[in-house]
């Protein structure tokens, strides 16, 4: 069975789309009210597509986005050359 927040999210998503279409048909133009309903739909969709909330997840381990290789460490430092020595002018503001 789906969680209540997923069901509520899908109902809110469909409801906001329906209210936007109803407003569009009633007024005959894309008004601020219709845009407001359309702009709130991603929030309802996010609620529907995330079955577990961030604060109630069981894992406390941070998620690593990429793996770090020990071999790929940067050795030494690189310094940028001095622009005056390379012949560039110093900008005057």
């Amino acid at each position: 069975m789906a969680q209540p927040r997923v069901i509520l999210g899908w109902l809110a998503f469909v409801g906001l789309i329906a209210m936007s279409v109803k407003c569009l048909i009633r007024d005959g133009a894309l008004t601020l009210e219709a845009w407001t309903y359309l702009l709130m739909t991603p929030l309802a969709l996010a609620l529907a597509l995330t079955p577990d909330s961030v604060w109630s997840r069981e894992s406390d381990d941070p998620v690593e986005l990429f793996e770090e290789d020990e071999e790929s460490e940067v050795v030494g430092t690189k310094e940028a050359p001095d622009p005056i020595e390379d012949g560039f002018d110093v900008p005057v503001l």
Side-chain angles (χ1 to χ4, degrees):
M1 169 125 181
Q3 293 182 357
R5 67 179 277 133
V6 174
I7 295 170
L8 180 68
W10 281 114
L11 287 175
F13 177 73
V14 171
L16 286 169
I17 295 290
M19 288 190 306
S20 176
V21 169
K22 179 184 172 190
C23 181
L24 180 66
I25 292 171
R26 181 187 66 213
D27 296 337
L30 198 56
T31 61
L32 180 65
E33 183 181 1
W35 273 112
T36 304
Y37 294 140
L38 287 174
L39 289 174
M40 288 191 306
T41 55
L43 180 65
L45 189 61
L47 186 68
L49 293 179
T50 54
D52 57 337
S53 59
V54 175
W55 57 86
S56 67
R57 292 188 180 155
E58 296 175 12
S59 174
D60 290 336
D61 299 330
V63 177
E64 291 188 29
L65 299 177
F66 58 92
E67 294 180 16
E68 295 182 20
D69 295 333
E70 294 178 12
E71 299 173 2
S72 65
E73 291 182 18
V74 178
V75 178
T77 59
K78 274 185 137 177
E79 293 184 18
D82 188 21
I84 295 174
E85 290 179 4
D86 287 342
F88 291 103
D89 291 334
V90 178
V92 178
L93 297 178

